Amino acid sequence: MADNREMRYSGGKCLCIDVGGSAVKYGIIDRDLNLTDKGEIPTPHEGVEPYLLALESLYRKMKDQVDGIAMSVPGVIDSENGICISGGNLRFIEHFNLAGEMARRCEVPVTVMNDAKSAAMAEARWGSLSDCRDGIVIVLGTGIGGALIKDGKVHFGKSFAAGEFSFLTLGENLDEQGDTWAGRAGNPRLRRLVANAKGIEDPDEINGYDVFKWAEEGDPLVLMALDQFTRSIAHMIVNLQIIYDPDRFAVGGGISRQPLLLEYIKKNLDYFYTQFKWPGQNADVTTCKFFNDANLIGAYSYFLSRFGKED
């Protein structure tokens, strides 16, 4: 059969897949960005073959409706060649040509894109950063995903790892995960702070909905925990603003839907800027327009850039 990069796309609908740590989300997107047939299945963790079979089953269910597959996946991804250099917590998929294998099985063109870079591509093209030349996307989850937008395009870096904010070190102890930005600003820390505040022994007993429900109710200890959590996010935004001087930041991830999150990030930014004077522009921060659908829509944007006729 033809090489994936030589396959033709008829311009019809595309099956978009977003692989997360616990669930694989999917939907069909057309050229007008209508997202339909949304659903999700559990993410297989048993190995390469169960993983591929699960992804292939989604295509088989939709094959009469779509002419291509656009994937958003965790890890460092060589999107140009469709290779998962690393797989995040899906270690079994490392150094694997995922796009090529899926194209072989499904006989349609396939693209693979890092999940945070997918979100950034959606926001840069159609979302909160569409009027910006340069921007930064920060995706809050178990870790801290991210991407740099330069001249309206996602910056990949020499080894496709630009924007892997989880690994930014905040102290001298490089052997301690707590000294990385993921350790200080990943969702597990927010749950841990709130659990401690509420006297809950196991942080896994609560989720983001619990946290923001208590915060909306005005629980003073939960609000203090949220303030502490967002302080480290605001601190890093100040540093990134100084390094890159972007037009705007867009914050994504599931908890970005909660208005209090952005409110507290901005509150901490306002305080930092009263204490720290510098001659450049203060950070302009908003939320991602597409929230949880950003990865699906961004994967589709990358697919169009490879196989579609650009508008």
Side-chain angles (χ1 to χ4, degrees):
M1 62 173 289
D3 184 273
N4 182 41
R5 288 168 291 185
E6 298 173 356
M7 287 184 173
R8 294 186 179 275
Y9 168 59
S10 68
K13 296 178 181 180
C14 185
L15 170 61
C16 298
I17 297 172
D18 176 28
V19 178
S22 60
V24 178
K25 300 176 183 177
Y26 61 90
I28 295 176
I29 299 181
D30 63 21
R31 291 298 292 261
D32 295 321
L33 294 190
N34 295 309
L35 177 55
T36 60
D37 298 270
K38 291 174 63 175
E40 63 178 60
I41 60 173
T43 301
H45 288 267
E46 297 81 13
V48 173
E49 189 58 25
Y51 181 65
L52 293 172
L53 286 173
L55 298 177
E56 185 181 352
S57 71
L58 297 179
Y59 170 73
R60 297 298 172 197
K61 184 168 66 172
M62 309 284 193
K63 64 178 295 186
D64 294 333
Q65 302 179 63
V66 301
D67 299 314
I69 301 172
M71 296 182 59
S72 159
V73 299
V76 176
I77 309 299
D78 174 356
S79 296
E80 184 174 342
N81 295 299
I83 296 171
C84 298
I85 298 173
S86 71
N89 62 354
L90 303 179
R91 299 283 180 87
F92 54 79
I93 205 70
E94 292 181 355
H95 305 292
F96 187 81
N97 190 331
L98 181 58
E101 179 59 21
M102 286 295 294
R104 185 188 70 80
R105 291 174 177 234
C106 301
E107 299 186 322
V108 293
V110 179
T111 56
V112 177
M113 181 78 150
N114 166 268
D115 46 12
K117 290 181 175 64
S118 293
M121 187 164 281
E123 296 301 322
R125 186 168 185 173
W126 297 301
S128 296
L129 304 179
S130 61
D131 61 338
C132 298
R133 178 177 176 180
D134 301 331
I136 293 180
V137 173
I138 297 170
V139 181
L140 302 175
T142 302
I144 312 293
L148 306 176
I149 305 297
K150 183 64 179 174
D151 295 326
K153 297 181 180 179
V154 173
H155 176 65
F156 289 90
K158 183 178 180 180
S159 60
F160 311 99
E164 290 290 333
F165 295 147
S166 278
F167 299 96
L168 286 171
T169 58
L170 307 180
E172 297 179 355
N173 301 317
L174 300 186
D175 59 329
E176 295 184 11
Q177 186 176 351
D179 276 345
T180 65
W181 198 19
R184 294 197 192 176
N187 290 348
R189 181 169 184 252
L190 176 58
R191 295 199 311 271
R192 186 168 64 252
L193 288 170
V194 171
N196 290 341
K198 299 285 286 183
I200 299 170
E201 187 172 338
D202 184 3
D204 289 335
E205 291 181 6
I206 63 176
N207 55 39
Y209 296 105
D210 297 322
V211 169
F212 284 96
K213 174 178 176 293
W214 292 325
E216 291 287 353
E217 291 171 351
D219 186 310
L221 293 177
V222 173
L223 289 174
M224 282 191 284
L226 181 61
D227 185 55
Q228 184 176 351
F229 175 72
T230 53
R231 190 174 305 140
S232 63
I233 299 171
H235 182 198
M236 191 57 68
I237 287 174
V238 170
N239 285 333
L240 292 171
Q241 180 72 31
I242 293 168
I243 293 168
Y244 193 58
D245 196 21
D247 299 295
R248 187 177 302 133
F249 290 78
V251 178
I255 65 172
S256 68
R257 281 188 175 275
Q258 304 292 337
L260 273 178
L261 180 81
L262 184 62
E263 178 183 326
Y264 269 72
I265 290 174
K266 288 185 173 182
K267 170 176 170 287
N268 277 293
L269 281 172
D270 289 343
Y271 173 73
F272 286 148
Y273 283 128
T274 67
Q275 304 298 313
F276 176 73
K277 308 297 183 182
W278 84 295
Q281 172 183 297
N282 290 354
D284 177 12
V285 184
T286 188
T287 53
C288 289
K289 174 180 177 180
F290 297 111
F291 294 108
N292 288 344
D293 292 334
N295 293 2
L296 294 171
I297 293 170
Y300 178 65
S301 177
Y302 182 68
F303 182 90
L304 286 182
S305 73
R306 292 295 304 274
F307 293 107
K309 295 180 180 179
E310 296 287 355
D311 297 329

